[in-house]
Amino acid sequence: MMLKLFFGLVSAGVVAAAPKGDRHEKDKFNWNSTKSVIAFGDSYTYVQGTLGRTNATYIGDNFNLTFTPAKLFSNRIVLNQTWANQGSAAGGSNWIEYLTQCGVQKGLTDPQTCVKQLWSFAYGGANTISEDGFTPAHWNHTVSFAQQIEQFASYGNPALQSIGLDKSDALVAVWIGINDINDLAKLRGKNESFTPLYEKVQRNVWSNVEKIYRLGYKKYLIMNLPPLDRSPSPAVNASLINTFNNIAASHADAFASRHSDATVLQYDVNTVLNSILDQHDAYGFKNVTKFCPGFNKADIRSDPSKYGCGEGLDTYFWYDSGHLGSRTNQVFAGMLEKWLGRRSWT
Ligand SMILES: *[C@@H]1O[C@H](CO)[C@@H](O)[C@H](O)[C@H]1NC(C)=O
Ligand SMILES: *[C@@H]1O[C@H](CO)[C@@H](O)[C@H](O)[C@H]1NC(C)=O
Ligand SMILES: *[C@@H]1O[C@H](CO)[C@@H](O)[C@H](O)[C@H]1NC(C)=O
Ligand SMILES: *[C@@H]1O[C@H](CO)[C@@H](O)[C@H](O)[C@H]1NC(C)=O
Ligand SMILES: *[C@@H]1O[C@H](CO)[C@@H](O)[C@H](O)[C@H]1NC(C)=O
Ligand SMILES: *[C@@H]1O[C@H](CO)[C@@H](O)[C@H](O)[C@H]1NC(C)=O
Ligand SMILES: *[C@@H]1O[C@H](CO)[C@@H](O)[C@H](O)[C@H]1NC(C)=O
Ligand SMILES: *[C@@H]1O[C@H](CO)[C@@H](O)[C@H](O)[C@H]1NC(C)=O
């Protein structure tokens, strides 16, 4: 409710001019005509599926990465209080659900009924690559980013092609690196030189994006690291985040220059979220340093004062020690949507 008031106040210094020019029609990004968003990443981006593992995924896990088209299409997005976290790691709908408006209605949503279909293969707890022991998997069921891409190439893409999903109207969203930077900080100690490690993460990220590109997808939305340094229990400081994000941006730029027919939209969500934190009152956030201790209780929304969170979860910027709240996701997804509009070809 209070949300409406604050929308549009800040565009967070993210400058974007609508591209113009001579380009093959099907290569031009246009948010209005985008019919599907295909997402990869970690808990920030995972969407709960009825056939997925609770708190982790839409479909499948590391014990069984395979699925048939029939299984994928019988699956539903869950937004339901009887499920822990109500279907995401944000305690409600998350950014990719708000952006697509797919998975924002209570109950179950069939992605095929959405104007912009959402197909998220992101997995809660995922690192970029775990198979070589560089940053070990959080659990034995975890599906790394690299495995998500393999799973997509083997099962997801063929299934989506079987229902006629048009690659030229699809946007591939990638948000990965949050677990990598936290795990590297914890595993390697304070005095490690992190730059070569972040370079390795990004080489892995982009060799996998390359695999999606080879499947024929040309439009990418890349999110950089959020201000984890301002989270309730940070493992990294702002300078490490900036180093990581600068390395990530240079790899994204290099990918874009290698592939002139690809659109690589780099959203500086770090700057956007820092700006929301700096002006949190204007957005109705009262608590930007801690999380509500009752965040995952079934009655938290109906009785927040029971947990000392009188004004409710929506006034907390952080949902838990490392995740953005659902309303935080909604606020920046609204800004992202406007930004995508400005990045659209006219
Ligand atoms: C994995 O899932 C597929 C379909 O979703 C099923 O046919 C197959 O039997 C499962 N494999 C195992 C080892 O459970
Ligand atoms: C899912 O996450 C919630 C919130 O952290 C937790 O309370 C619940 O036990 C988790 N459920 C499973 C099956 O992991
Ligand atoms: C919540 O999910 C459970 C399990 O799928 C389902 O039985 C129940 O009907 C759902 N509730 C709502 C309000 O959709
Ligand atoms: C996965 O890990 C859990 C918890 O650590 C353990 O109970 C389970 O046996 C493991 N499963 C496999 C197949 O290794
Ligand atoms: C940030 O953390 C790194 C790694 O622990 C450390 O080397 C660096 O001095 C810190 N930077 C600041 C500004 O505190
Ligand atoms: C980091 O290096 C400094 C300077 O050499 C040293 O004093 C400190 O003990 C080291 N810290 C760790 C955690 O290794
Ligand atoms: C933020 O929330 C925590 C946990 O509920 C609480 O302890 C703290 O006092 C709150 N801070 C502010 C500034 O309201
Ligand atoms: C997208 O749709 C909006 C609302 O109808 C319109 O204002 C805008 O000009 C369209 N943008 C493009 C690039 O087609």
Side-chain angles (χ1 to χ4, degrees):
M1 317 142 264
M2 80 176 81
L3 249 182
K4 276 205 190 83
L5 281 170
F6 308 117
F7 262 160
L9 256 184
V10 170
S11 61
V14 182
V15 185
K20 285 188 169 46
D22 183 24
R23 204 167 177 187
H24 199 283
E25 201 60 40
K26 73 175 174 46
D27 293 337
K28 292 178 177 177
F29 171 75
N30 189 329
W31 177 241
N32 288 353
S33 59
T34 299
K35 301 225 170 24
S36 63
V37 174
I38 299 170
F40 301 95
D42 54 33
S43 53
Y44 274 51
T45 307
Y46 107 86
V47 167
Q48 186 67 58
T50 46
L51 301 177
R53 180 179 277 262
T54 303
N55 292 352
T57 193
Y58 185 60
I59 195 163
D61 64 16
N62 192 39
F63 298 127
N64 193 354
L65 291 167
T66 74
F67 52 81
T68 58
K71 195 164 177 194
L72 181 65
F73 300 131
S74 68
N75 199 12
R76 297 291 178 263
I77 298 172
V78 180
L79 181 64
N80 182 335
Q81 275 191 308
T82 65
W83 286 62
N85 289 342
Q86 302 187 59
S88 84
S93 299
N94 66 16
W95 72 282
I96 200 85
E97 296 172 312
Y98 283 121
L99 180 67
T100 55
Q101 289 292 298
C102 194
V104 293
Q105 313 289 343
K106 281 259 178 297
L108 306 179
T109 299
D110 176 355
Q112 289 191 77
T113 63
C114 299
V115 173
K116 295 189 194 305
Q117 298 186 8
L118 172 58
W119 302 103
S120 178
F121 299 96
Y123 201 99
N127 279 305
T128 298
I129 185 166
S130 299
E131 294 67 68
D132 65 352
F134 177 63
T135 47
H138 287 190
W139 304 284
N140 55 12
H141 57 78
T142 308
V143 180
S144 70
F145 176 72
Q147 288 175 298
Q148 291 165 32
I149 309 299
E150 279 176 37
Q151 180 189 42
F152 181 69
S154 301
Y155 309 104
N157 183 51
L160 293 175
Q161 292 310 300
S162 77
I163 56 162
L165 181 135
D166 187 344
K167 292 171 188 173
S168 64
D169 288 334
L171 179 65
V172 175
V174 172
W175 199 357
I176 192 72
I178 293 161
N179 292 311
D180 300 74
I181 197 170
N182 284 335
D183 290 359
L184 286 171
K186 289 175 197 148
L187 292 168
R188 308 297 172 110
K190 294 213 173 306
N191 285 356
E192 182 78 36
S193 169
F194 286 102
T195 302
L197 304 177
Y198 298 166
E199 284 287 352
K200 178 170 175 173
V201 169
Q202 290 302 320
R203 280 197 302 275
N204 282 323
V205 168
W206 291 93
S207 68
N208 282 293
V209 174
E210 189 75 39
K211 291 179 187 167
I212 313 175
Y213 174 82
R214 280 194 229 118
L215 295 173
Y217 294 88
K218 303 284 177 68
K219 289 154 191 170
Y220 297 91
L221 169 64
I222 311 296
M223 310 289 280
N224 65 5
L225 291 185
L228 298 169
D229 51 292
R230 298 174 78 173
S231 69
S233 22
V236 289
N237 60 29
S239 86
L240 289 180
I241 296 271
N242 286 335
T243 301
F244 188 101
N245 281 346
N246 288 338
I247 292 171
S250 70
H251 282 259
D253 291 343
F255 178 88
S257 51
R258 276 201 304 279
H259 302 296
S260 59
D261 61 343
T263 300
V264 182
L265 302 162
Q266 300 181 54
Y267 191 62
D268 185 4
V269 70
N270 182 280
T271 297
V272 169
L273 291 171
N274 268 310
S275 156
I276 295 171
L277 281 165
D278 291 343
Q279 304 171 65
H280 59 267
D281 282 338
Y283 294 95
F285 292 111
K286 306 258 191 261
N287 197 318
V288 295
T289 54
K290 298 283 190 293
F291 61 91
C292 165
F295 70 99
N296 60 352
K297 298 294 189 287
D299 58 352
I300 182 60
R301 292 209 173 254
S302 56
D303 194 4
S305 59
K306 185 170 158 187
Y307 304 98
C309 314
E311 294 185 77
L313 278 191
D314 284 353
T315 64
Y316 282 78
F317 183 88
W318 298 99
Y319 175 61
D320 61 14
S321 63
H323 296 98
L324 305 168
S326 180
R327 197 169 76 81
T328 311
N329 277 261
Q330 182 177 22
V331 169
F332 89 75
M335 295 172 167
L336 170 56
E337 195 196 7
K338 292 199 178 84
W339 184 83
L340 289 172
R342 294 197 297 274
R343 299 298 302 157
S344 297
W345 289 71
T346 50

